[in-house]
């Protein structure tokens, strides 16, 4: 009986790990950055205007009223969209860009980034979902981080200007499909462009090493809380190199430090270095 219970418990824990929640950061309006699925989400509830179609009614054409159900729904959707656009914009600008800046701070020192971000926000790339429940409109909106309509595709960024470092240590080269850095024991801030460096200060993962097409299409980085599921393998392949982070780094504590000898092992093979340029990197963090 005890053995059966133990097996049941293991299966339960395994199933829970498979269906773990995505890594999210929320603001005061409960707008969310989902770092696992790489999307920004927000939601609002809007009261549907009262329908008054009688011209003799004192409320006819008054504030927060409409003359038909279609008009009432249209007004509610318009108000909800205006609120959602503001909330998504605020959440977007508060994201950490890298170890030095939030996205808003970065646009203050980079005029091109400011213009591109304003253009992106004005281009209405949001996706909306509206559900009418009794006299309330439940509205949701999302902005993608990756993809051709995502945030990364519309931010000016210097990609791929440097080569992934090679180490001179003599060892048998081993090919790895990607890199997984475990930072679940650390207090790490999530960012669009975190760097990974060695304990000697050498960057081993940086926007300067990656190809822009991969960063935009798959995301420069993905955060998860486990190593299960198809999405994990899609990002880092079947045979990634696993390393435990030593500490966080940078002003915003978004970067990670790993041992130099681990970096040397990981980067010993040319195909592995190619996989770094393809953004096949994932960071494990705690919920």
């Amino acid at each position: 009986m005890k053995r059966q219970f133990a097996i049941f418990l293991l299966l339960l824990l395994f199933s829970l790990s498979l269906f773990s929640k995505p890594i999210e950061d929320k603001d005061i309006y409960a707008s969310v950055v989902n770092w696992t699925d790489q999307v920004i989400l927000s939601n609002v509830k809007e009261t549907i205007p009262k329908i008054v179609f009688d011209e003799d009614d004192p409320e006819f054409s008054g504030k927060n009223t409409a003359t038909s159900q279609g008009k009432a729904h249209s007004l509610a959707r318009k108000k909800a969209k205006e609120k959602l656009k503001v909330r998504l914009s605020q959440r977007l600008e508060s994201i950490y860009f890298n170890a030095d800046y939030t996205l808003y701070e970065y646009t203050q020192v980079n005029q091109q980034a400011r213009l591109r971000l304003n253009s992106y926000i004005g281009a209405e790339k949001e996706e909306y979902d509206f559900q009418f429940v009794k006299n309330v409109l439940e509205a949701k909106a999302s902005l993608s981080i990756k993809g051709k309509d995502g945030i990364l595709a519309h931010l000016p960024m210097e990609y791929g200007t440097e080569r992934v470092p090679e180490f001179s240590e003599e060892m048998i080269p081993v090919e790895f499909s990607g890199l997984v850095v475990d930072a679940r024991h650390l207090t790490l801030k999530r960012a669009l462009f975190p760097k990974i460096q060695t304990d000697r200060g050498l960057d081993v993962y940086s926007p300067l090493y990656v190809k822009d097409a991969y960063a935009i299409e798959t995301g420069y980085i993905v955060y998860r809380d486990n190593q299960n599921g198809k999405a994990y393998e899609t990002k880092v392949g079947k045979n990634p190199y696993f390393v435990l982070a030593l500490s966080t780094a940078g002003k915003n504590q978004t970067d990670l430090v790993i041992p130099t000898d681990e970096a040397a092992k990981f980067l010993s093979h040319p195909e592995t270095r190619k996989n770094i340029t393809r953004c096949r990197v994932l960071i494990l963090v705690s919920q």
Side-chain angles (χ1 to χ4, degrees):
M1 191 70 179
K2 287 183 179 179
R3 184 180 178 187
Q4 289 177 329
F5 179 75
I7 293 172
F8 170 77
L9 187 60
L10 285 171
L11 289 172
L12 178 63
L13 290 171
F14 179 71
S15 64
L16 287 173
S17 68
L18 286 177
F19 298 101
S20 59
K21 294 181 180 179
I23 298 301
E24 295 180 340
D25 290 332
K26 294 183 181 180
D27 65 8
I28 58 173
Y29 299 107
S31 297
V32 171
V33 180
N34 180 332
W35 292 104
T36 303
D37 300 324
Q38 299 181 80
V39 64
I40 300 174
L41 308 157
S42 190
N43 64 84
V44 297
K45 290 184 178 180
E46 189 68 36
T47 301
I48 299 171
K50 182 180 178 181
I51 299 172
V52 181
F53 54 84
D54 185 352
E55 292 184 8
D56 296 326
D57 192 308
E59 292 185 277
F60 183 78
S61 294
K63 189 178 180 181
N64 297 321
T65 66
T67 55
S68 68
Q69 186 183 63
K71 184 66 174 176
H73 284 188
S74 178
L75 288 171
R77 278 194 295 264
K78 182 180 178 182
K79 287 184 178 179
K81 283 183 72 171
E82 289 172 352
K83 290 179 181 178
L84 287 168
K85 282 182 72 70
V86 171
R87 291 190 181 184
L88 285 174
S89 249
Q90 291 172 334
R91 191 67 193 93
L92 176 58
E93 292 194 334
S94 67
I95 291 176
Y96 283 115
F97 180 77
N98 58 19
D100 297 314
Y101 305 105
T102 62
L103 184 52
Y104 172 77
E105 291 168 344
Y106 181 69
T107 62
Q108 298 308 294
V109 299
N110 186 317
Q111 183 63 23
Q112 187 186 9
R114 180 74 259 170
L115 293 173
R116 292 280 294 275
L117 186 61
N118 286 344
S119 175
Y120 176 73
I121 291 171
E124 297 190 351
K125 299 292 184 179
E126 306 91 352
E127 291 188 5
Y128 293 96
D129 177 67
F130 299 110
Q131 299 291 330
F132 292 95
V133 182
K134 294 184 179 180
N135 67 330
V136 174
L137 168 63
E138 296 180 354
K140 299 177 182 178
S142 63
L143 274 175
S144 181
I145 293 176
K146 64 180 181 179
K148 65 181 178 64
D149 290 327
I151 297 156
L152 297 182
H154 295 81
L155 283 177
M157 192 68 190
E158 195 174 13
Y159 291 110
T161 59
E162 297 181 15
R163 296 182 62 181
V164 178
E166 298 180 36
F167 289 78
S168 59
E169 285 89 342
E170 291 185 4
M171 59 182 64
I172 299 173
V174 179
E175 181 181 346
F176 295 99
S177 59
L179 174 65
V180 177
V181 182
D182 191 346
R184 287 175 289 190
H185 57 298
L186 299 172
T187 303
L188 176 72
K189 303 285 181 63
R190 270 81 79 168
L192 292 174
F193 296 104
K195 292 195 296 185
I196 299 168
Q197 58 189 216
T198 70
D199 50 11
R200 296 179 188 171
L202 176 68
D203 290 343
V204 293
Y205 189 59
S206 156
L208 299 179
Y209 300 152
V210 306
K211 296 177 180 177
D212 56 353
Y214 284 95
I216 290 167
E217 186 60 32
T218 69
Y220 171 79
I221 199 71
V222 167
Y223 296 92
R224 288 176 58 97
D225 68 349
N226 63 57
Q227 301 158 259
N228 302 313
K230 210 167 187 178
Y232 171 86
E233 189 176 303
T234 299
K235 182 61 177 173
V236 294
K238 295 182 178 180
N239 180 40
Y241 190 85
F242 184 93
V243 61
L244 189 68
L246 295 173
S247 63
T248 59
K251 185 182 77 173
N252 292 329
Q253 299 298 294
T254 61
D255 297 346
L256 288 170
V257 178
I258 63 173
T260 298
D261 59 341
E262 297 277 12
K265 292 176 188 175
F266 168 67
L267 295 173
S268 65
H269 199 286
E271 286 302 315
T272 307
R273 294 193 292 275
K274 276 187 184 178
N275 286 329
I276 283 289
T277 70
R278 296 164 179 155
C279 299
R280 306 199 78 173
V281 179
L282 183 147
I283 297 174
L284 295 176
V285 295
S286 56
Q287 288 283 0

